[in-house]
Amino acid sequence: MGDASVADTDSNKPSPQSEAPSETDRGPFGGLEFQVSEVVERLEAGVNAHEAGDDERRREPRKISAGFFEPEETSMDEILKVLEELVLKTDPSCESAEPPLLPTDAVTRAAILSHSIAALFGRLERGHAARLGAHIASETSRWMAHMFRLADYSAYYHQEQLEGLVRVTRMLLHCRYPRYLEDGALAFATRLPCIYSCVASPLGVVQHLCRQLGLPLACVRPVPQHPRGRGMDVSALERLCEEDLAAERTPLLALGAAGAAPLGGGDDLVALADACHRRGLHLHVRGHSLALPAALPRDESYSIADSVTLTPGPWFGVPGLPTVTFYKIPEPMTANDHSKGVNPAGSREGALAALGGLAGGGGGAGALPLWGALRAAGARRLAARLAAAFRNARTARAIVAEAGLKILSADPGGDEPPTVDLVEAISRASACVTFQFAPEDSEKPPPYYDKLNSWLGQVLQREADMISIEVCETESHGVVLRYCPLEGAAAGALDALPAVLDAQVHVLRATAALREPFLQHVAALPCLVAAHVPGWAGLGGVRYVPPGWEDAAPERQDALNRQLVEALRATDGAFSCGEAADGRACVRFGMVTADTDVQELLELVLLAGKDVEDSSRELTDMTEVLKKGIEEAVADLERENANRLWQEGLLRRVPVVGRVVDWWAPAAVPPPPGRRLHLQHGTLQPTSDIYRYVQKKAESEPARAHSPARQPATDQ
């Protein structure tokens, strides 16, 4: 930020003596800019900034191509107005005149302003900025470790959620492969590192890890899931480690989960940590259940994992907060022949260098938004937010269970008795509610229920705006619905959720119960053919094919069914026109209630189809009449032209000569009579009677106009 820019900002800002414009008058961006300008002014008063020379402020004209746009100097108010207009233009669903920004409280504004303040740290002297950043990072790490009950960890702050895991893995590679700093991937060419991940975990995590570090996907070792569905199978993990050691591979990292999406499942952290300790594996844990210690009124701490990743931004509901990775620095080890003759101290130095600021003060600027948010809210207020999120998840779980839906996730947590160990409570908690509409006693519902659950999710997203519902597709359970108050959604009141959910569940049950009778009735009716509509959650689709239309062109049948849908929608909006799996048009039946008579609906379709068929047949007959009449008219015209040529002679048809002949001897042949097509009889008739009627009417009009007007009778 140069002095010229600061001067421009100060010129646009009112003096302290003048009345400052309100945030309402300045708009949502203007109010924020006013606070940032005020903070910048206070910080600049304490910073020794060198004045820029005249040569730096002097602008030299640049020659640019006329085909490129170069912005002109603009005031800050104009820039904010342009930015607000861009926000409105890029949101097609926004109908308000104000930018669609979420309301901000004091904590959110502190986090946003901290980003602007962090940008000013670059103007400080390097040593000063390092000391300031180290102090901020140290304070933030102590606060976060105390809030989430972590002991003996260092912290690293980053924006990308997986960046901390990538750097920790790079640190492990430097520790296990001391020549990795010099040889790169050649260091583990003969002894491949192994990363263990549960098959139920997202595959994108290990893929991203391998891409960032240049590791082959052969390093990933999928671990089977526990038979009871609780995370990875620890015994299978130990067997894989033994196999890898026998194959001269290096067990490096195990990825654990605590309340991971989408089902909120977690590993048995105690058993997993014991197995990793015995096998020399680095255990990294991530998931929403790691927020549970801050919501529990306990003073105990834990350090069972070697590294954990916390996401305070979504947990606190504050945008712009960094992700925090707490880690332990491992002792240097030798794993292959390349490590012989290497100083262990050098290996540790390489590991610390690979962290890129994990152990130093380089993360101070990154920790500043979280530092400001913690200062603005206080630990108690933020812990209360986490407790309210777990409480909302428990309330939502009770509502879903009362509605009769199938719950797939474990208890959200937050109400554990004091006798339960803290690590065991984290392992059991899911921090979310995952559910679906499914038949009883079914492990994975039929594919049709995936459509019903997708429909339920869309309806809840539209009508139950008090919570944020996510529609997820899983391999073991199909389409499921997930509610997690720790993912940035505001924890609102759930009073209206039971009524909305019950109404939709009744519709789902009625539709699922009537679908089979609907298909049976369709199969029994000769004029209706069942049509499979992909992604349609209603009763299904049918195609109306009346007798005699079996061999008709597909285009005619599609047109008939589209006309049928238009006729049906005039009486009931539940019908719609859809496209079947074969690309043909069909009549779609929507969701129904328990009192719906399926046979009556099909009879309505048949009656409307009969009317549309009759009108279509009349239209077809009319088309045939028009076609026949046009053919007769063309034949009459050809015959009259031949007769006229015979009567008038050939010379009258020769260009130029014909005009002379007409002038010398006008033709005595009368003009051809006019014709009209009578649609009711389908015959051609002369228009002479119409001409006589029009002529007679025209002659009677003047006589009526000249006749004396009749005077009304008056009393003498």
Side-chain angles (χ1 to χ4, degrees):
M1 182 184 298
D3 291 340
S5 301
V6 175
D8 294 341
T9 305
D10 293 338
S11 64
N12 295 328
K13 186 175 57 179
S15 62
Q17 292 78 8
S18 62
E19 183 179 358
S22 63
E23 294 183 9
T24 305
D25 296 334
R26 299 179 63 90
F29 288 96
L32 180 60
E33 183 267 344
F34 179 73
Q35 288 193 14
V36 174
S37 300
E38 200 173 30
V39 173
V40 169
E41 184 181 10
R42 292 177 58 184
L43 291 178
E44 286 182 341
V47 177
N48 295 325
H50 297 283
E51 295 291 334
D54 295 337
D55 54 341
E56 294 181 359
R57 289 198 295 263
R58 189 181 302 112
R59 297 179 179 177
E60 298 180 358
R62 293 183 299 165
K63 297 181 180 180
I64 60 174
S65 173
F68 293 91
F69 169 74
E70 183 178 10
E72 299 179 355
E73 182 179 358
T74 311
S75 64
M76 194 62 197
D77 291 337
E78 293 294 330
I79 294 175
L80 295 177
K81 291 180 181 179
V82 173
L83 183 58
E84 293 177 2
E85 292 177 357
L86 289 176
V87 174
L88 290 173
K89 291 179 180 179
T90 52
D91 186 10
S93 60
C94 180
E95 299 179 356
S96 174
E98 294 292 335
L101 298 180
L102 296 176
T104 57
D105 54 5
V107 184
T108 303
R109 301 182 78 86
I112 297 175
L113 290 173
S114 298
H115 284 278
S116 301
I117 300 172
L120 295 176
F121 284 179
R123 300 185 60 185
L124 299 176
E125 188 267 331
R126 180 174 298 179
H128 185 189
R131 291 189 299 271
L132 177 60
H135 178 78
I136 292 176
S138 176
E139 279 193 350
T140 310
S141 301
R142 290 198 306 268
W143 295 340
M144 292 291 293
H146 177 72
M147 179 182 296
F148 293 98
R149 310 295 188 263
L150 297 172
D152 303 328
Y153 286 97
S154 301
Y156 172 61
Y157 302 90
H158 48 94
Q159 294 299 325
E160 297 291 336
Q161 289 193 6
L162 298 179
E163 182 181 353
L165 176 59
V166 171
R167 300 220 176 194
V168 167
T169 308
R170 184 179 289 115
M171 175 188 67
L172 295 176
L173 291 175
H174 280 278
C175 290
R176 301 295 181 91
Y177 299 89
R179 298 197 61 85
Y180 178 62
L181 187 63
E182 293 82 8
D183 298 343
L186 295 177
F188 46 80
T190 59
R191 194 175 182 94
L192 203 64
C194 296
I195 301 174
Y196 302 91
S197 176
C198 182
V199 293
S201 301
L203 185 60
V205 175
V206 290
Q207 288 180 344
H208 177 80
L209 191 60
C210 292
R211 292 193 188 102
Q212 294 296 319
L213 298 175
L215 298 176
L217 290 179
C219 296
V220 180
R221 299 285 286 166
V223 183
Q225 193 173 9
H226 194 274
R228 297 181 180 179
R230 188 180 177 184
M232 69 172 65
D233 191 348
V234 178
S235 59
L237 172 64
E238 293 190 281
R239 289 194 300 269
L240 289 176
C241 289
E242 294 177 358
E243 294 176 2
D244 293 333
L245 289 174
E248 296 185 351
R249 295 181 178 180
T250 303
L252 183 70
L253 174 67
L255 300 179
L263 301 181
D267 298 310
D268 187 354
L269 296 182
V270 176
L272 181 59
D274 291 341
C276 291
H277 180 72
R278 290 193 302 268
R279 300 296 176 180
L281 278 171
H282 182 100
L283 175 59
H284 181 85
V285 182
R286 54 193 299 270
H288 293 313
S289 295
L290 295 175
L292 182 62
L296 295 177
R298 300 186 184 184
D299 294 332
E300 58 180 312
S301 60
Y302 71 99
S303 60
I304 194 170
D306 297 305
S307 60
V308 295
T309 297
L310 308 181
T311 54
W315 293 352
F316 296 152
V318 179
L321 296 186
T323 303
V324 188
T325 296
F326 286 91
Y327 65 96
K328 299 177 182 178
I329 301 178
E331 293 297 329
M333 298 178 60
T334 58
N336 52 25
D337 295 335
H338 292 281
S339 61
K340 294 181 179 180
V342 179
N343 186 6
S347 172
R348 189 176 181 85
E349 291 177 359
L352 291 177
L355 293 176
L358 278 174
L368 183 59
L370 183 56
W371 182 87
L374 290 171
R375 286 277 189 177
R380 293 183 179 179
R381 183 179 174 186
L382 295 178
R385 288 190 179 186
L386 297 178
F390 281 97
R391 186 167 54 252
N392 271 24
R394 295 194 302 269
T395 304
R397 178 184 175 87
I399 294 174
V400 171
E402 187 177 356
L405 296 174
K406 182 180 179 180
I407 299 179
L408 303 174
S409 58
D411 187 80
D415 56 349
E416 291 81 4
T419 56
V420 179
D421 183 69
L422 182 60
V423 178
E424 183 65 23
I426 295 174
S427 303
R428 294 179 180 179
S430 64
C432 69
V433 182
T434 306
F435 59 96
Q436 67 177 179
F437 176 74
E440 298 180 359
D441 302 331
S442 64
E443 183 66 24
K444 184 176 181 180
Y448 173 65
Y449 281 80
D450 291 345
K451 306 174 186 178
L452 295 178
N453 284 288
S454 299
W455 175 86
L456 177 61
Q458 294 174 7
V459 173
L460 291 179
Q461 289 173 352
R462 182 177 64 251
E463 298 186 5
D465 53 355
M466 73 288 297
I467 62 175
S468 177
I469 296 293
E470 181 184 4
V471 181
C472 307
E473 186 173 357
T474 62
E475 184 178 356
S476 57
H477 300 280
V479 176
V480 300
L481 306 182
R482 181 171 177 268
Y483 166 59
C484 183
L486 290 176
E487 292 187 350
L494 303 178
D495 299 336
L497 180 61
V500 175
L501 195 59
D502 288 341
Q504 308 309 324
V505 169
H506 288 320
V507 173
L508 287 173
R509 290 174 178 170
T511 304
L514 294 176
R515 177 174 169 80
E516 190 63 29
F518 169 79
L519 296 177
Q520 294 177 1
H521 285 295
V522 171
L525 296 174
C527 296
L528 297 180
V529 179
H532 173 64
V533 184
W536 183 247
L539 284 178
V542 298
R543 186 178 295 115
Y544 178 70
V545 183
W549 285 68
E550 293 83 358
D551 299 332
E555 292 78 9
R556 290 191 60 193
Q557 294 184 7
D558 292 347
L560 178 65
N561 282 272
R562 293 190 184 96
Q563 296 175 9
L564 174 58
V565 171
E566 294 178 1
L568 290 172
R569 290 187 63 85
T571 58
D572 193 345
F575 298 98
S576 61
C577 183
E579 183 176 342
D582 56 358
R584 302 281 303 281
C586 64
V587 182
R588 294 189 304 190
F589 290 73
M591 309 296 290
V592 296
T593 56
D595 56 349
T596 302
D597 190 348
V598 175
Q599 188 173 0
E600 183 180 350
L601 286 178
L602 294 176
E603 291 177 356
L604 178 62
V605 172
L606 292 177
L607 292 176
K610 183 64 175 176
D611 296 339
V612 173
E613 179 190 359
D614 294 340
S615 61
S616 178
R617 183 181 295 109
E618 293 177 358
L619 183 61
T620 303
D621 296 340
M622 183 71 67
T623 304
E624 295 296 332
V625 169
L626 291 174
K627 183 177 179 181
K628 182 179 179 181
I630 292 174
E631 291 176 354
E632 293 181 0
V634 170
D636 289 348
L637 290 176
E638 292 178 353
R639 185 167 53 254
E640 289 176 358
N641 286 336
N643 295 335
R644 189 178 183 88
L645 177 62
W646 176 261
Q647 295 176 3
E648 294 180 354
L650 184 60
L651 290 177
R652 295 184 183 273
R653 297 302 181 95
V654 178
V656 181
V657 178
R659 298 176 62 183
V660 175
V661 174
D662 287 340
W663 173 77
W664 182 263
V669 181
R675 292 174 179 81
R676 60 190 175 96
L677 178 61
H678 199 287
L679 298 179
Q680 186 174 2
H681 299 88
T683 57
L684 287 174
Q685 298 180 359
T687 57
S688 56
D689 53 345
I690 297 179
Y691 291 151
R692 287 194 299 268
Y693 172 76
V694 173
Q695 185 177 7
K696 183 178 180 181
K697 186 176 181 180
E699 292 176 353
S700 62
E701 288 295 334
R704 185 180 303 173
H706 291 291
S707 62
R710 181 177 298 176
Q711 299 294 333
T714 57
D715 296 337
Q716 298 295 330

